Amino acid sequence: MSGTDEHAERFTVLRPLLFTIVYEILGSATESDDVLQDSYLRWATVDLATVRDTRSYLARLVTRQALNAVRASTRRREEYVGSWLPEPLLLADDDASADVVLAESVSMAMLVLLEALTPDERAVFVLREVFGFDYDEVASAVGRSVVTVRQMAHRARGHVQARRRRFGPVDAETTTRVTEQFMAATATGDMEGLLALLAPDATWTADGGGKVTATRRPVVGARNVAALVMELFRAGRVPGSRVEPVTCNHAPALAAYDGDRLAGVCLLEIGDGKITHFYVVRNPDKLLALTAPRRISR
């Protein structure tokens, strides 16, 4: 096997894991693809005889490139119009279903929560808590000392635990039932039926990026959210429009189409049998990657 073939084979085998690492650091599938492409070009020049652990080496390489990408996009993020949400990730229906840690780590709720961390803290949390890398491997990836990385991991873990919702994993049966009831309530204009599905503090967060119409600030409270949902679904009933159930970020989601054009994706966060959060992504730039299911791995 030539060096080039072996480089490609090793990278391809680990690509789902590498993509997942970068996506959890960046919150963007499109940018993650760019990072992996750049990382592969660097990897292709590496003398494989010097690589003792391919998984660790490539994780370090893509993490460094991901952190470079974060720094490059900081200004863009600061100037963003309205709420910023991670780019939705279309998954195969069975992907990550048996891995609770992996499923939670790519959830929209977790990705939004991780936005409050510094880029280095986020990378440390992802590498250590999700993927189980040793502290020395994490330290090498982020360019910090082991002592500093331990402190960062402790800080990040505390932040996540303090803000993580106290609901256990939602079983597939409950998810399917709630999603179907939600679609039925909106289709028939059943306001009371909709309210019965919402948690009292249900929240609607929409990301239009200033490019399409979307609420600029989160809408909070079951009645406020229900009124907005009914208004939007009523307005959306135009010829050629349709809503289809999909799986994004290991959560039930609704994809809205105007003809053949994907107009938006709404992810439902369900806890204790109720819908607690709607994450609505309408920025067309963030819908480009939703053409085919992705594979993630830990």
Side-chain angles (χ1 to χ4, degrees), residues 25-28 31 70 73-81 84 115 122 286:
I25 293 173
L26 296 179
S28 167
E31 289 183 28
V70 169
S73 65
T74 299
R75 185 182 183 88
R76 214 164 55 236
R77 188 76 63 84
E78 290 173 349
E79 297 173 348
Y80 201 79
V81 177
W84 186 96
E115 281 294 312
R122 183 168 179 164
K286 294 187 177 184

Side-chain angles (χ1 to χ4, degrees), residues 2-287:
S2 72
T4 302
D5 289 344
E6 187 171 352
H7 281 92
E9 182 175 314
R10 292 197 197 185
F11 196 91
T12 301
V13 167
L14 290 170
R15 197 181 196 285
L17 176 143
L18 300 175
F19 173 83
T20 311
I21 290 173
V22 178
Y23 175 71
E24 291 189 14
I25 293 173
L26 296 179
S28 167
T30 307
E31 289 183 28
S32 296
D33 289 338
D34 292 341
V35 166
L36 289 195
Q37 184 174 0
D38 185 53
S39 297
Y40 179 74
L41 294 176
R42 293 170 183 269
W43 166 245
T45 66
V46 172
D47 180 358
L48 295 180
T50 65
V51 179
R52 288 181 295 182
D53 183 332
T54 303
R55 180 177 181 269
S56 180
Y57 189 100
L58 284 174
R60 181 172 70 246
L61 175 60
V62 300
T63 297
R64 287 177 176 174
Q65 295 306 112
L67 289 174
N68 287 339
V70 169
R71 295 180 187 110
S73 65
T74 299
R75 185 182 183 88
R76 214 164 55 236
R77 188 76 63 84
E78 290 173 349
E79 297 173 348
Y80 201 79
V81 177
S83 299
W84 186 96
L85 288 175
E87 202 173 286
L89 192 65
L90 184 65
L91 297 178
D93 289 340
D94 60 342
D95 207 0
S97 58
D99 190 330
V100 175
V101 172
L102 180 60
E104 184 188 29
S105 73
V106 297
S107 70
M108 190 64 74
M110 178 62 78
L111 293 172
V112 169
L113 195 163
L114 293 180
E115 281 294 312
L117 302 178
T118 68
D120 282 359
E121 285 174 344
R122 183 168 179 164
V124 167
F125 180 85
V126 167
L127 292 175
R128 177 64 187 165
E129 300 299 318
V130 180
F131 296 93
F133 284 99
D134 293 337
Y135 282 112
D136 57 344
E137 294 175 298
V138 179
S140 177
V142 299
R144 302 292 192 98
S145 70
V146 171
V147 172
T148 299
V149 161
R150 284 183 182 274
Q151 293 170 341
M152 293 170 71
H154 178 74
R155 206 160 47 238
R157 195 182 307 118
H159 174 88
V160 170
Q161 290 174 347
R163 291 160 180 78
R164 178 187 277 148
R165 287 191 176 272
R166 299 303 178 189
F167 302 122
V170 182
D171 61 273
E173 186 178 334
T174 299
T175 294
T176 301
R177 174 179 57 79
V178 172
T179 305
E180 288 177 349
Q181 289 175 341
F182 171 79
M183 293 186 71
T186 55
T188 59
D190 181 4
M191 175 63 85
E192 292 307 312
L194 176 58
L195 282 169
L197 295 171
L198 303 182
D201 61 346
T203 303
W204 173 282
T205 304
D207 178 344
K211 301 187 176 186
V212 295
T213 304
T215 53
R216 293 283 180 92
R217 295 179 179 177
V219 176
V220 183
R223 288 208 169 270
N224 293 332
V225 171
L228 176 62
V229 167
M230 284 302 185
E231 180 184 342
L232 291 174
F233 274 75
R234 185 165 54 247
R237 295 190 192 112
V238 296
S241 68
R242 68 186 191 281
V243 176
E244 296 181 356
V246 292
T247 300
C248 285
N249 298 73
H250 197 63
L254 303 172
Y257 289 89
D258 289 337
D260 293 330
R261 182 181 68 85
L262 179 62
V265 173
C266 175
L267 290 83
L268 310 182
E269 181 185 339
I270 299 172
D272 203 21
K274 303 281 187 180
I275 300 174
T276 59
H277 211 129
F278 295 88
Y279 298 102
V280 183
V281 178
R282 297 205 63 226
N283 183 341
D285 295 342
K286 294 187 177 184
L287 301 175

